[in-house]
Amino acid sequence: MSSIYDRPFLCALYLHRLATAEQLHQLVSPDVSLDLTRRRLNGLRKQGVVDRALKEGRQGIWYLTDRGRSIGETMDELAGRTSPPAPEDPFEAKMRSEHSLAVLNTHLAFLKDARRRGDEYGYLDWSPEIYHRVVEQGADALIADALMRYTVVKPSRALHRAFIEVDRATMSSEALASKLLAYARFHQLLPVPVRHQRSVQAQSAIPAWQHYYPANFPRILFVLTGAGPTARQNRVRDLQALAQTSPLVERTLQTVRAGVASLEEIEEQGPSAPVWASLADPQRPRCGWAEL
């Protein structure tokens, strides 16, 4: 028997690649029991559209099969959306799960907060692995962990977009800071002149990013996890130091809002709580993400 949650389950797995039953439950069916969510997933597994890998402790990691991805590509809810590369087998799913699940937990923290606040933000308002070139010629690219589209309702309506970077302390602090530099390069990128026969078209005065985000450059939100408080604080300071010492980053953060918080804090207190440290102004008190 079909369930009203079957389509949302497929949509969520198409976008996020991997998820636990508990995550899918919170994403699309928090109003029913977790056991019912598990039964529906097992039903979809019998139909050959989803499969799962077992991690330590027998936690199931769910993902779409080739048949499930083919179905997802035809869904109206996913028109124009892309899906990150899917795991080919259960072993690959286990190896790739930690970062994907941490990114999804960040989405869930915003989703839970939005439901509490009455804001407009749903499970499809989060797009993982957004690609942008940061140079006009060459292969250098910015791949954000996610792009969030969030509408605050009170005290007045405001649409916010934010790039999300989730760091599990698996890369060096220098490598993490380089991500901020990549955002600055994308923000400053201007299209190169295009030659037409004997004339040269004047270089556009419109930055490349405005072709994707006409109103404002999205906020840049770094979310830290997988390390203790001291290590996280060191990473916060390294990001703030780059903002103070790199002319390119400093210029970007004059107009682009950017902050950093821990996943544990936004899960416990909510991302709208004062848990975000400003990257542009280390002396500024911590604030909610929309107040950066």
Side-chain angles (χ1 to χ4, degrees):
M1 183 174 65
S2 177
S3 165
I4 61 172
Y5 298 114
D6 287 354
R7 284 181 73 93
F9 286 153
L10 295 183
C11 288
L13 286 174
Y14 183 87
L15 286 178
H16 299 289
R17 182 200 292 132
L18 300 166
T20 67
E22 291 82 358
Q23 287 176 323
L24 290 168
H25 176 71
Q26 292 300 322
L27 274 175
V28 302
S29 59
D31 53 334
V32 303
S33 71
L34 178 57
D35 284 343
L36 180 57
T37 294
R38 290 195 174 105
R39 289 200 297 270
R40 290 311 315 164
L41 288 170
N42 283 317
L44 291 171
R45 188 184 186 193
K46 291 178 181 178
Q47 296 178 51
V49 294
V50 304
D51 204 350
R52 70 172 183 169
L54 291 179
K55 294 184 61 184
E56 297 77 5
R58 298 190 63 78
Q59 181 186 44
I61 307 298
W62 293 89
Y63 58 95
L64 292 182
T65 62
D66 289 341
R67 180 176 179 231
R69 288 177 65 82
S70 296
I71 294 172
E73 290 170 353
T74 68
M75 289 184 172
D76 292 341
E77 301 97 312
L78 300 173
R81 308 289 287 270
T82 59
S83 176
E88 295 183 359
D89 54 47
F91 179 77
E92 184 182 357
K94 287 190 288 185
M95 293 300 99
R96 295 169 59 174
S97 64
E98 294 301 329
H99 186 72
S100 295
L101 298 183
V103 173
L104 185 46
N105 279 336
T106 304
H107 175 29
L108 286 170
F110 280 94
L111 188 58
K112 179 181 178 180
D113 200 45
R115 289 167 176 164
R116 179 185 63 82
R117 291 168 50 87
D119 289 334
E120 295 178 8
Y121 180 70
Y123 77 100
L124 295 178
D125 292 325
W126 178 278
S127 299
E129 297 190 16
I130 298 298
Y131 173 97
H132 290 297
R133 292 174 63 180
V134 296
V135 293
E136 189 67 24
Q137 303 294 333
D140 286 356
L142 164 68
I143 304 178
D145 282 333
L147 174 71
M148 178 179 69
R149 297 174 176 86
Y150 188 112
T151 301
V152 173
V153 173
K154 297 178 181 179
S156 59
R157 290 181 62 85
L159 172 63
H160 299 294
R161 288 185 174 91
F163 289 121
I164 309 293
E165 288 294 333
V166 178
D167 171 60
R168 297 186 302 112
T170 55
M171 66 175 70
S172 69
S173 189
E174 182 180 0
L176 177 63
S178 71
K179 296 285 292 196
L180 182 56
L181 184 59
Y183 282 106
R185 292 172 66 193
F186 176 49
H187 180 259
Q188 299 297 323
L189 178 63
L190 291 173
V192 299
V194 179
R195 296 185 178 277
H196 294 289
Q197 297 178 355
R198 298 180 180 178
S199 64
V200 177
Q201 179 175 312
Q203 182 166 336
S204 171
I206 300 176
W209 63 264
Q210 287 191 344
H211 295 286
Y212 305 95
Y213 313 105
N216 297 292
F217 194 90
R219 284 171 169 79
I220 306 170
L221 303 179
F222 285 85
V223 178
L224 309 181
T225 188
T230 300
R232 288 200 303 264
Q233 188 57 41
N234 287 338
R235 287 176 175 259
V236 171
R237 292 192 181 108
D238 289 342
L239 287 168
Q240 292 173 331
L242 178 64
Q244 303 297 312
T245 58
S246 166
L248 183 62
V249 174
E250 184 180 21
R251 185 162 61 250
T252 295
L253 296 190
Q254 289 175 357
T255 56
V256 176
R257 302 181 183 188
V260 56
S262 76
L263 177 57
E264 290 74 15
E265 285 183 314
I266 68 172
E267 286 181 321
E268 180 180 344
Q269 302 181 47
S272 60
V275 297
W276 298 86
S278 169
L279 295 186
D281 183 4
Q283 304 304 316
R284 181 181 175 184
R286 296 200 298 176
C287 61
W289 71 273
E291 300 162 359
L292 285 166

